[in-house]
């Protein structure tokens, strides 16, 4: 649709491998079509991995699971594990090669980019992730999340669906009449879960979960207990019947 509207004017297409709002992973078919369109139109494919990078979805970068690599990859959050402000744009060799030409100019300037402290933070984060084998830890946690969320879906009448990938998940909820939980009720639900002991992110008709890759089984059990308790308190508070 975008190509049809823009013709060959599209220079770059930016996608999140898992859409942050709602935790919706791009399907294999969607990625295949993007890669086909890139071959046809020659645009740069940019993976915004600010949220999905650094083991969040089961691989170091979510786009590593794609059938073709992106031309540019953007990372931030996990890059320093949130310990300092930093972001990077990683360029594929085919893109970077253009700048090896002496006459090439990258028209981009930053006042505070690449400071030694920031670079040290990035290196320390990557080294600690390697020491912990954090991606494998995240994969194990994701498998436990799969089981726990499937159980919640099967047993809680107001849980309509779970979406997401790895440790990047959402719960879609229903009202007692079977309609999707209205967005206007999401802040109250988040507050109820918070009172029960866990801070979760507001989502689309529900909440989103981004547990640390280092969660223990006990941490996960506690999170799920808080969600159940918060959900039940919200239902009771709004007069909804399960
Ligand atoms: C997918 C995605 N891209 C970009 C950003 C912005 O990142 P930053 O705050 O590092 O500029 C965010 C922040 O939440 C994000 O989730």
């Amino acid at each position: 649709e975008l190509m049809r509207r823009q013709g060959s004017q599209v220079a770059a297409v930016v996608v999140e491998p898992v859409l942050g709002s709602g935790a919706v992973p791009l399907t294999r078919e969607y990625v295949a079509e993007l890669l086909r369109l890139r071959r046809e139109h020659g645009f740069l494919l940019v993976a915004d991995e600010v949220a999905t990078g650094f083991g969040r979805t089961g691989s170091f970068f979510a786009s590593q699971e794609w059938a073709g690599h992106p031309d540019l990859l953007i990372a931030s959050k996990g890059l320093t594990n949130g310990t300092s402000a930093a972001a990077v744009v990683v360029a594929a060799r085919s893109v970077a090669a253009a700048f090896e030409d002496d006459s090439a100019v990258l028209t981009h300037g930053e006042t505070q980019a690449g400071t030694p402290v920031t670079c040290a933070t990035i290196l320390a984060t990557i080294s600690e992730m390697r020491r912990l084998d954090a991606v494998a830890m995240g994969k194990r946690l994701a498998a436990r999340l799969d089981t726990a969320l499937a159980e919640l879906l099967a047993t809680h009448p107001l849980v309509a669906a779970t979406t997401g990938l790895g440790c990047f998940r959402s719960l879609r909820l229903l009202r007692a009449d079977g309609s999707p939980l209205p967005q206007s009720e999401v802040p109250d639900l988040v507050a109820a879960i918070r009172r029960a002991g866990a801070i979760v992110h507001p989502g689309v008709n529900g909440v989103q979960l981004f547990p640390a890759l280092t969660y223990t089984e006990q941490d996960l059990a506690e999170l799920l207990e808080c969600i159940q308790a918060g959900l039940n308190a919200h239902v009771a508070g709004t007069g909804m019947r399960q």
Side-chain angles (χ1 to χ4, degrees), residues 15-21 48-52 74-77 85-87 168:
V15 291
E16 294 172 62
V18 178
L19 200 62
S21 181
D48 177 344
E49 296 238 22
V50 167
T52 52
I74 306 166
S76 170
K77 301 182 193 301
F168 190 151

Side-chain angles (χ1 to χ4, degrees), residues 13-17 45-50 63 66 70-75:
V13 171
V14 184
V15 291
E16 294 172 62
L45 181 56
V46 185
D48 177 344
E49 296 238 22
V50 167
S63 59
W66 292 359
D71 301 293
L72 295 166
L73 185 153
I74 306 166

Side-chain angles (χ1 to χ4, degrees), residues 89-199:
V89 180
V90 182
R93 285 189 202 288
S94 53
V95 175
F99 297 99
E100 280 165 18
D101 173 350
D102 284 350
S103 61
V105 178
L106 176 63
T107 316
H108 184 70
E110 292 277 352
T111 311
Q112 301 290 346
T115 64
V117 172
T118 299
C119 293
T121 317
I122 295 170
L123 290 175
T125 303
I126 294 171
S127 139
E128 185 64 358
M129 282 193 73
R130 286 203 179 121
R131 189 186 69 80
L132 294 170
D133 202 3
V135 177
M137 286 180 97
K139 261 193 183 158
R140 287 196 292 274
L141 175 60
R144 293 203 295 267
L145 262 173
D146 286 345
T147 309
L149 295 182
E151 199 179 307
L152 197 58
L153 182 64
T155 55
H156 202 297
L158 299 182
V159 178
T162 77
T163 65
L165 199 60
C167 296
F168 190 151
R169 309 296 278 257
S170 91
L171 282 176
R172 306 277 171 107
L173 303 168
L174 297 174
R175 303 201 79 224
D177 64 5
S179 60
L181 185 81
Q183 273 322 109
S184 57
E185 276 189 31
V186 169
D188 283 345
L189 173 65
V190 169
I193 296 173
R194 187 174 180 142
R195 278 193 296 277
I199 298 174

Side-chain angles (χ1 to χ4, degrees), residues 191-224:
I193 296 173
R194 187 174 180 142
R195 278 193 296 277
I199 298 174
V200 295
H201 200 77
V204 175
N205 311 123
V207 295
Q208 299 197 179
L209 309 175
F210 310 98
L213 308 187
T214 50
Y215 256 38
T216 60
E217 276 190 40
Q218 198 185 334
D219 293 332
L220 179 60
E222 206 177 310
L223 172 67
L224 291 161

